[in-house]
Structure formats: structure tokens, C-alpha cells
Amino acid sequence: MHFDWTTLALQTVNLIVLVWLLRRFLFRPVTALIAERRGAAERLLADAAAVRAAAAADAEQVAAREKALSARGEEILAEARAAARTERAALLQQAQDEIAKADAAAQAARDQDQAQMRRQLEGEARRLAVAIASRLLARIPAQASSAALLQALDTW
């Protein structure tokens, strides 16, 4: 094998020129393009992190609002339950009062009906007593009944 130093020197110069040309016209633009894309990617990542942080802050605000609304809802529910208990007690008291009034009115009506029936029965009893007495007296002779009546008046 034969080795030529001039070919080696020319090949070395050719390699150096090629590397210089590649570096100047290919590597710099590609490196600049890569750096530009890396910067854009970093900006996108920074923007995404900012959006993520904003979303997390919004989620915290929503959670806080939800918690506050839940607490307010519980308060409103407790107030409504208390108002319902109060209203229920008032309605029960009103119903009991109305029942007592109706019961008193019914009792008064019963008492009035009983008094009226008693008067009617007493009147009927008087009529029957008079009818019975007049029938009995009709059977007794008039002189005997007069003598018995005078004797009863004397003993009184």
C-alpha cells in the first residue's frame, strides 16, 4: 500500500473547508432554528404553567365559593327548618284552639238540646200525669174525692 502525503494534506484541507462551510451555512441556521424553536417551546411551557396556575387559582376560588355557598345553604336550610317548626307549632296550637272551640260549641249545643228535651219530657210528663189523674178521679165518685181532698188540706 502506498501512502501519499499530498493527498492526505489536500483531503485535510478539503475536510476543513467542508466543516467550515457546513458550520457557516448549515449548522448556524439549524442551530438558530433549534434555538428559536426551543425558545418558542419554553415560552409555550411557561404560558401553559401560567394558565395551569391561573386554573388552579380559579379552582381554589370555585372551591371556596362552593364551600361558602354550601355553608350558606346549610344556614338557610337550618333557618327554614326552624321556621317550619315554629309554623308547625303555631298551626298545631291554632288547630287545638279551634278543636277546643268546636268541642265547647258542641258541648253547649248538647247541653241546650238536653235542656230542651228535658223541658219537652217534663211537659209530656205533666200532660200524662194530668191525664192519669183525671182518669183516676173520673173513676172515683165526686163526693169521695171531695172529702179526701178536704181531709188532705186539713192535715197540711
Side-chain angles (χ1 to χ4, degrees):
M1 175 158 190
H2 172 41
F3 191 69
D4 187 17
W5 288 99
T6 52
T7 306
L8 181 62
L10 286 173
Q11 288 292 328
T12 306
V13 170
N14 190 16
L15 180 66
I16 293 171
V17 169
L18 181 63
V19 169
W20 178 80
L21 284 173
L22 286 174
R23 185 180 238 183
R24 174 139 179 121
F25 295 110
L26 183 64
F27 293 141
R28 282 186 187 169
V30 169
T31 306
L33 184 62
I34 290 173
E36 181 182 324
R37 286 191 180 177
R38 182 176 288 143
E42 287 174 0
R43 283 190 302 274
L44 284 175
L45 288 174
D47 290 344
V51 168
R52 186 179 303 130
D58 287 345
E60 289 177 12
Q61 287 178 350
V62 167
R65 283 183 198 157
E66 184 178 321
K67 189 175 181 180
L69 287 175
S70 176
R72 181 63 183 139
E74 290 296 324
E75 289 174 7
I76 290 171
L77 190 58
E79 290 172 2
R81 285 182 182 142
R85 276 189 225 112
T86 305
E87 184 69 23
R88 179 177 173 243
L91 287 175
L92 282 174
Q93 185 61 42
Q94 183 181 4
Q96 288 174 348
D97 292 345
E98 289 176 7
I99 288 171
K101 286 178 185 178
D103 202 22
Q107 184 63 35
R110 274 193 304 262
D111 291 345
Q112 187 178 10
D113 288 345
Q114 285 177 351
Q116 183 180 2
M117 288 182 84
R118 187 176 301 123
R119 286 189 301 268
Q120 286 176 353
L121 287 175
E122 287 173 354
E124 186 68 26
R126 277 189 228 112
R127 280 190 296 265
L128 285 175
V130 168
I132 290 172
S134 59
R135 283 186 188 168
L136 285 175
L137 287 175
R139 289 184 184 174
I140 299 175
Q143 290 176 349
S145 65
S146 296
L149 183 60
L150 286 175
Q151 187 181 14
L153 288 174
D154 281 340
T155 59
W156 227 26

